[in-house]
Amino acid sequence: MAVPAAITAEAVIDTLGMKPHPEGGWFVETFRDMAGEPGRGASTLIYFLLKAGERSHWHRLLTTVEIWHYYAGAPLKLMISADGRASKTMTLGPDVIAGERPQCVIPAGQWQAAETTGDFTLVGCTVAPGFVFDDFELAAPDWTPAG
């Protein structure tokens, strides 16, 4: 019996049809609930992948909640800043006994950034109401919460 090849970030990106995301990493929208606000919808769902050396740069959604869901790969460090000064780090991953969590909710207006702790991490992000780029703010490349 053949041993399956190790899953690589490139294989996941190709298989899921992912494209580069403006904040860094790779994404593909998989669902948009068109009920709700016209042109926006009630919610959206994406796959999001970060490879080693990539990061989701500091950004925020101004009026919408974002829920992160861990799916595969290495745990993900998710940095969150409610006020743009202090920040905390949450680890998304499968080992709940060690303090990792499979989900994290980011309230509207809070800054967030992420990076994988290994070769890659595959997560999902649900946004409600649905994601639109008009609600997305990307911080300057060198910005970090001061605190």
Side-chain angles (χ1 to χ4, degrees), residues 2-21:
V3 176
I7 296 174
T8 65
E10 289 74 18
V12 174
I13 291 165
D14 290 344
T15 300
L16 297 177
M18 302 176 95
K19 305 287 185 218
H21 196 290

Side-chain angles (χ1 to χ4, degrees), residues 52-126:
E54 295 179 336
R55 70 176 302 174
S56 165
H57 295 282
W58 286 102
H59 67 284
R60 63 181 172 177
L61 301 180
L62 302 172
T63 64
T64 55
V65 173
E66 183 167 15
I67 302 109
W68 291 67
H69 315 268
Y70 171 83
Y71 294 138
L76 182 85
K77 289 190 336 189
L78 183 57
M79 289 74 70
I80 305 158
S81 178
D83 61 7
R85 292 184 299 279
S87 66
K88 63 180 181 178
T89 299
M90 179 169 193
T91 303
L92 291 181
D95 192 349
V96 297
I97 304 305
E100 297 171 0
R101 294 294 179 258
Q103 299 176 344
C104 180
V105 176
I106 309 290
Q110 292 195 10
W111 292 98
Q112 56 186 300
E115 59 189 21
T116 184
T117 61
D119 290 337
F120 77 92
T121 305
L122 176 66
V123 295
C125 296
T126 302

